[in-house]
Amino acid sequence: MWRSLRRLLSRCPMWRPKARPFRIAAALAACLALVGPAPARAADPAFPALDCAALWDATADFRARYALAEGPPDEARAMARAFRDAAVALSDDPEAEVDARIAKLRPIYLLLLKRYILDGNRRARDQYVRLSGLCDDFGRDAALPGHQGPGR
């Protein structure tokens, strides 16, 4: 997956390895928006639990670093753990592989949170809203802790 992402980024006109971080983030967001959901993700039995675990792990890190974030980091870590456990249950991969995949995604989602919350980037906000909605729907359908709402 990472090789194909690198290959895709090399084709994006904004991508330059020595570019400043905000240009790299903008290039990554633009390229991901062009590609849309990767076909491999549709076939991954751990999707979206894996991505949701990484998003909540990044959220916990963001909450710990920045005082403006709502909610305690421990609450986000508990959500990350619930999604991680769901990803392990859905995946054929060993737990260590699932944890490694989550660890690879976490910095991407941390960057997404920074771009959305700190920079006010509209595209990052849209991506965050889509992913968090997907995570919320998955959490409710799987009856994960923290997702049991009224009427469900």
Side-chain angles (χ1 to χ4, degrees), residues 30-102:
C31 291
L32 290 177
L34 291 174
V35 174
R41 286 190 180 193
D44 186 356
F47 180 79
L50 193 75
D51 287 72
C52 296
L55 177 65
W56 277 103
D57 196 24
T59 301
D61 190 27
F62 186 86
R63 287 179 178 179
R65 288 182 189 188
Y66 302 101
L68 59 100
E70 294 181 19
D74 291 338
E75 177 185 77
R77 282 188 186 89
M79 295 293 280
R81 182 67 182 187
F83 280 111
R84 180 229 176 250
D85 292 343
V88 167
L90 293 170
S91 178
D92 295 332
D93 297 333
E95 285 186 44
E97 177 66 26
V98 171
D99 290 338
R101 290 171 65 194
I102 291 170

Side-chain angles (χ1 to χ4, degrees), residues 18-36:
K18 294 182 182 180
R20 294 192 305 208
F22 72 91
R23 283 195 75 189
I24 293 171
L28 179 62
C31 291
L32 290 177
L34 291 174
V35 174

Side-chain angles (χ1 to χ4, degrees), residues 72-152:
D74 291 338
E75 177 185 77
R77 282 188 186 89
M79 295 293 280
R81 182 67 182 187
F83 280 111
R84 180 229 176 250
D85 292 343
V88 167
L90 293 170
S91 178
D92 295 332
D93 297 333
E95 285 186 44
E97 177 66 26
V98 171
D99 290 338
R101 290 171 65 194
I102 291 170
K104 285 180 181 178
L105 289 171
R106 190 195 65 74
I108 295 168
Y109 291 134
L110 182 58
L111 178 62
L112 178 71
L113 285 166
K114 287 178 182 179
R115 296 280 298 141
Y116 164 41
I117 297 171
L118 298 179
D119 300 338
N121 182 278
R122 178 188 265 154
R123 183 173 282 161
R125 177 188 58 97
D126 292 346
Q127 290 173 343
Y128 174 80
V129 167
R130 276 193 302 271
L131 181 60
S132 62
L134 184 66
C135 293
D136 190 47
D137 290 345
F138 176 83
R140 288 181 194 279
D141 291 345
L144 296 181
H147 284 90
Q148 293 84 12
R152 291 251 175 178

